[in-house]
Structures are given as C-alpha cells and as structure tokens.
Amino acid sequence: MNEIGLRWQETRAQLPQNVQLVAVSKFHPAESLQKAYDAGCRVFGESRVQELCAKRELLPTDIAWHFIGHLQPNKVKYIAPFVSLVHAVDTPKLLAEISKRGEQNDRSIPCLLQVHVAREETKFGFSPDELTDFLSLGAWRELRGADIQGLMCMASNTDDMEQVATEFKLVCQLFNNVKQSFFSDKDTFCLRSYGMSHDWPVAVKHGSNMVRIGTRIFGEREY
Ligand SMILES: *Cc1c(COP(=O)(O)O)cnc(C)c1O
C-alpha cells in the first residue's frame, strides 16, 4: 500500500462510522487522488472548478466530487451536471444560480449553507442572524434545483482549540435550531460539515458528521 492510501485508511479508521470523510485533494495531482482511490476513497473535495473538471476526466467514474471552496455563480454551470455536494453556499444569489443550473440538468443539487463563525473578517458565509433571516423569508422553498442538506463552517485559523470548540458548538446549536424550525419534515437535512486536518477531533466532538481533510492525507500543498 502506498503512503497516501495508508494515510487515508488511517484517517478513515480513526473517525466514527457516522462521520463522512471528504478527502480534500486540491492542488494535488491526479496520481495522488488515484492512490487514495486505490485504498478505497470515493469522496474527493476540490476548491477550484477548472481543477476539479480536469481531474474528473482522469479518474474513475464512481467518485463523488464535492465542491468545498468559494464558488462564483458564473462557474456553477460547469459542475452542475455531476457535483455531489456544494459545501460553501454563502449567498442567496449563489443558491438561486445552483437551483437554476440544477433544473437545467434535471436534478436537485445537494448543497450546504456556509455559516461564518470564525474571527477572521475575510471568511465567507452567512452570519447566524443572516442565516435564520434568510430561511425565515422562505423563498428558498421554491428553488427546485437546489437541495439544502445542512450547514458548513470553517473555524478560526488558530491553535487555540478552546476558541475552535466554541465556534463548532455554535454551529451545532444553530444546526439544531434551524433543523427544528425549517427542516423538521426533511430527513435529508442532516449534514454538519466541519473539521479539517488540524481541528477534526474537536469538530467530531462537537457534532460534525462530515470532515474535510486534506494535508493529513495528501501532505502539504504547493501553491
Ligand atoms: C483546503 C480546505 C480544507 C482542508 O484543509 P487541510 O488543512 O488540508 O485538511 C477543508 N475545507 C476547506 C473549505 C478547504 O478549503
């Protein structure tokens, strides 16, 4: 077994069964993804549309491709036919575009709403208030081509795990509130996507059921 494959298996084995693992392969070549694939990985996360589409051409067809990065509305059309999950929907406009392209492809595209809880001002996403306001308005219920399946966040980029825990707890609570208020009749609203290479144990402890792990599996990225 190759090193990437071993690290994927090790990571998978350390996660509870109910936690999905997205192998974040951005900036790594297709050969590295193939190594993880050979070890059993079938879910990859990418953050650039062109890179994702290029790798998809080179790899087996039974891979679930997740888009985890900031997505510009004008790029949605390129991934709409096949993307398995869009993690970081950060504006009503992006959600509307995803729905439009989903309908054009006769599908409802699974997506997550990104919540901004980190201290960095530059991070994308709805604030908790914006999120509940948006959901209260209810227009999203008419979007037939986009299927909201949960929430996603990135914690502050810090070694202070207390701070990180506070942010994950907030998102977990927000998920529960939103679930009860807007999605109580919808079993597929069930995803809490948070946790990366350095903070995944904290994330899992505080309710994550989908972690996005890159460096720990593929090694450092060269930008
Ligand atoms: C790059 C990235 C990750 C993975 O980060 P690692 O530290 O390499 O595990 C997770 N989520 C998002 C949104 C990313 O852009």
Side-chain angles (χ1 to χ4, degrees):
M1 178 69 66
N2 65 78
E3 205 179 320
I4 288 173
L6 281 174
R7 284 202 297 261
W8 177 81
Q9 288 187 341
E10 213 173 80
T11 306
R12 178 60 270 177
Q14 284 178 338
L15 290 165
Q17 285 288 337
N18 71 310
V19 177
Q20 298 184 55
L21 171 58
V22 180
V24 176
S25 47
K26 62 189 187 196
F27 293 92
H28 292 284
E31 301 83 71
S32 297
L33 281 72
Q34 183 68 51
K35 288 178 183 167
Y37 180 93
D38 291 341
C41 178
R42 294 294 181 271
V43 185
F44 292 90
E46 289 282 340
S47 61
R48 293 188 304 185
V49 168
Q50 213 180 354
E51 184 179 343
L52 167 51
C53 293
K55 286 177 184 171
R56 182 167 171 264
E57 294 284 301
L58 300 169
L59 286 152
T61 55
D62 62 341
I63 288 173
W65 293 98
H66 288 201
F67 195 84
I68 61 162
H70 177 62
L71 181 56
Q72 285 165 1
N74 63 2
K75 300 258 176 85
V76 173
K77 57 179 178 282
Y78 301 113
I79 60 173
F82 65 86
V83 70
S84 290
L85 183 64
V86 178
H87 283 243
V89 177
D90 56 353
T91 60
K93 182 181 173 205
L94 175 59
L95 188 67
E97 177 66 17
I98 290 171
S99 179
K100 175 181 155 188
R101 299 298 177 181
E103 287 196 78
Q104 284 177 357
N105 286 278
D106 289 317
R107 63 187 296 238
S108 187
I109 299 174
C111 40
L112 308 178
L113 300 178
Q114 181 175 11
V115 191
H116 174 110
V117 287
R119 284 182 296 191
E120 289 94 354
E121 283 180 11
T122 54
K123 292 261 167 71
F124 297 103
F126 294 85
S127 72
D129 284 347
E130 284 169 351
L131 183 76
T132 42
D133 289 351
F134 171 67
L135 292 172
S136 299
L137 286 174
W140 56 274
R141 293 184 193 275
E142 310 305 320
L143 299 173
R144 300 270 163 248
D147 186 26
I148 303 172
Q149 299 192 342
L151 302 182
M152 173 270 195
C153 82
M154 288 174 82
S156 295
N157 185 13
T158 172
D159 293 331
D160 179 356
M161 288 300 138
E162 293 290 323
Q163 172 67 24
V164 168
T166 303
E167 293 167 2
F168 288 154
K169 275 191 251 185
L170 182 68
V171 173
C172 192
Q173 223 168 48
L174 187 63
F175 174 92
N176 290 332
N177 294 344
V178 160
K179 170 88 187 166
Q180 195 174 21
S181 304
F182 305 103
F183 298 96
S184 57
D185 59 340
K186 200 167 163 264
D187 291 344
T188 52
F189 185 89
C190 64
L191 298 175
R192 296 175 296 275
S193 166
Y194 44 88
M196 310 178 12
S197 291
H198 71 289
D199 60 13
W200 70 266
V202 185
V204 167
K205 186 170 169 203
H206 296 291
S208 168
N209 59 11
M210 181 174 272
V211 293
R212 310 177 307 265
I213 295 183
T215 310
R216 191 182 151 80
I217 297 168
F218 295 102
E220 296 292 334
R221 289 178 287 273
E222 287 176 33
Y223 292 99

